[in-house]
């Protein structure tokens, strides 16, 4: 197969590209390097099976050609990261909605199946954990920028499902829960790479709020395996799937684990949300996925434990910073 990955120079996209090449597929990446990095795909450039375009997905001419040449599209290009969302909401809304519209329009022109990467933010601040795909969404007011991300990705989902229902375009929607692993950057807010970098540098670990909020982190290797399985499952077409880990951990516990695994003596500091993000910032207390639908159609289960992921991320951070 010839697979097109939008956002393929990003953290998840580059791992996906690597796995597809290893399975003997041809891979083309389109990425504008806004949050992705060329360094993520640099090791792949030598492969004759790998091609890339440093370009935005809203460039219709380029996207049209790439869509016509491929057999399947993974649409991962998006503005992500809570800090980025709060800082640049116009960019987030435009990138996510206009970008996805452009990808679906091009895909539909050539009838190419699309897997849309969505997010657990879709569920908003619902307290009905674990979250099932058909659950209600609970969002805060439009005056709180955080919710523009959830809303923009919900519009993407509506659009993809509409193309499926009305035009018969094969689409799959994957809602990713806190995906973590090497190459992820903490620059746009993500907690694990931030804690790892802080621990390795012996700098204070910045826990926002009281640290009792929890998440289920999923290793990128498990996420990529789920994405590959979904693409080859006919029953997945037209459906929405949660992809997430089973190990629920509070952010304070995460900080302690990172410190212990990195053998770091850095201190933990608590920072109020309004200082970390903005006045009135709303966080979710618990975020836990129900992945029974994914398991039923693909047999997928996560394999990599959080400690193993943290080990890999600590080793990667040390390598990047030349820290022993
Ligand atoms: N967080 C934190 N310190 C940081 C960055 C994030 O305590 O330096 C918290 C954040 O407030 C949230 C959790 O860690 O409660 C996960 O944040 P992230 O942005 O990684 O993902 P989210 O689940 O919020 O989308």
């Amino acid at each position: 197969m010839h697979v097109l990955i939008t956002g393929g120079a990003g953290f998840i996209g580059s791992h996906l590209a690597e796995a597809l090449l290893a399975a003997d597929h041809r891979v083309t990446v389109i990425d504008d390097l806004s949050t992705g990095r060329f360094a993520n795909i640099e090791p792949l450039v030598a492969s004759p099976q790998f091609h890339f375009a440093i370009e935005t997905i809203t460039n219709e001419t380029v996207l049209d050609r790439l869509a016509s040449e491929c057999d399947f599209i993974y649409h991962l290009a998006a503005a992500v990261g809570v800090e980025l969302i709060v800082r640049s909401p116009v960019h987030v809304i435009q990138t996510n909605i206009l970008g996805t519209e452009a990808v679906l329009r091009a895909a539909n022109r050539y009838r190419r199946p699309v897997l849309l990467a969505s997010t657990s933010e879709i569920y908003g601040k619902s307290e009905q954990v674990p979250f099932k795909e058909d659950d209600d969404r609970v969002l805060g007011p439009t005056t709180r920028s955080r919710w523009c991300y959830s809303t923009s990705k919900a519009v993407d989902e509506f659009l993809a499902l509409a193309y499926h229902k009305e035009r018969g375009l094969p689409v799959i929607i994957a809602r990713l829960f806190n995906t973590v692993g090497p190459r992820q950057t903490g620059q746009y807010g993500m907690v694990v790479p931030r804690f790892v970098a802080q621990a390795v540098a012996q700098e204070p670990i910045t826990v926002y709020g009281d640290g009792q909020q929890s998440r289920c982190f999923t290793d990128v290797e498990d996420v990529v395996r789920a994405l590959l399985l979904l693409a080859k499952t006919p029953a997945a077409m037209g459906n929405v799937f949660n992809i997430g880990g089973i190990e629920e951990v509070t952010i304070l516990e995460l900080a302690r684990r990172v410190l212990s695994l990195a053998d770091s003596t850095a201190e933990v500091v608590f920072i109020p949300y309004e200082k970390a993000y903005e006045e009135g910032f709303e966080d979710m207390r618990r975020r836990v996925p129900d992945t029974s639908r994914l398991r039923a159609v693909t047999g997928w289960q996560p394999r990599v434990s959080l400690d193993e992921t943290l080990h890999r991320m600590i080793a990667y951070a040390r390598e990047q910073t030349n820290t022993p």
Side-chain angles (χ1 to χ4, degrees), residues 171-249:
V171 301
I172 302 167
I173 294 168
R175 288 188 189 148
L176 310 187
F177 284 64
N178 300 72
T179 305
V180 290
R183 283 183 219 153
Q184 187 177 30
T185 158
Q187 215 179 326
Y188 308 104
M190 283 76 167
V191 67
V192 181
R194 288 173 67 92
F195 282 5
V196 166
Q198 290 162 345
V200 166
Q202 304 286 355
E203 285 166 4
I205 308 282
T206 53
V207 170
Y208 299 163
D210 63 5
Q212 292 309 311
Q213 68 274 36
S214 70
R215 298 291 186 269
C216 292
F217 296 98
T218 328
D219 191 277
V220 66
E221 197 179 291
D222 282 326
V223 169
V224 164
R225 194 162 41 83
L227 296 175
L228 297 176
L229 284 168
L230 282 172
K232 53 183 181 195
T233 305
M237 292 299 168
N239 268 315
V240 181
F241 297 88
N242 287 336
I243 303 179
I246 39 171
E247 201 181 339
E248 186 179 0
V249 65

Side-chain angles (χ1 to χ4, degrees), residues 67-259:
S68 74
E69 289 169 356
C70 75
D71 305 305
F72 189 94
I73 303 172
Y74 281 101
H75 175 40
L76 271 58
V80 296
V82 181
E83 240 176 71
L84 180 71
I85 290 156
V86 171
R87 215 169 48 219
S88 316
V90 173
H91 168 73
V92 169
I93 296 166
Q94 287 182 341
T95 307
N96 294 355
I97 297 183
L98 303 180
T100 298
E101 215 287 307
V103 169
L104 289 168
R105 201 157 11 103
N108 188 53
R109 208 170 291 137
Y110 301 99
R111 312 301 294 165
R112 303 296 188 241
V114 179
L115 185 148
L116 167 74
S118 186
T119 167
S120 55
E121 279 277 322
I122 286 286
Y123 301 103
K125 54 183 177 177
S126 164
E127 290 174 3
Q128 302 292 314
V129 290
F131 298 146
K132 281 196 165 74
E133 289 85 350
D134 294 332
D135 282 351
D136 288 343
R137 306 166 51 225
V138 182
L139 302 183
T142 51
T143 44
R144 307 262 148 87
S145 303
R146 180 194 191 129
W147 305 118
C148 81
Y149 176 62
S150 177
T151 303
S152 70
K153 294 303 282 191
V155 171
D156 289 355
E157 288 198 11
F158 274 125
L159 205 53
L161 292 169
Y163 265 101
H164 177 73
K165 189 174 158 192
E166 219 179 294
R167 317 250 167 110
L169 183 72
V171 301
I172 302 167
I173 294 168
R175 288 188 189 148
L176 310 187
F177 284 64
N178 300 72
T179 305
V180 290
R183 283 183 219 153
Q184 187 177 30
T185 158
Q187 215 179 326
Y188 308 104
M190 283 76 167
V191 67
V192 181
R194 288 173 67 92
F195 282 5
V196 166
Q198 290 162 345
V200 166
Q202 304 286 355
E203 285 166 4
I205 308 282
T206 53
V207 170
Y208 299 163
D210 63 5
Q212 292 309 311
Q213 68 274 36
S214 70
R215 298 291 186 269
C216 292
F217 296 98
T218 328
D219 191 277
V220 66
E221 197 179 291
D222 282 326
V223 169
V224 164
R225 194 162 41 83
L227 296 175
L228 297 176
L229 284 168
L230 282 172
K232 53 183 181 195
T233 305
M237 292 299 168
N239 268 315
V240 181
F241 297 88
N242 287 336
I243 303 179
I246 39 171
E247 201 181 339
E248 186 179 0
V249 65
T250 67
I251 298 303
L252 183 57
E253 165 62 13
L254 173 74
R256 295 200 174 115
R257 279 216 224 171
V258 170
L259 283 172

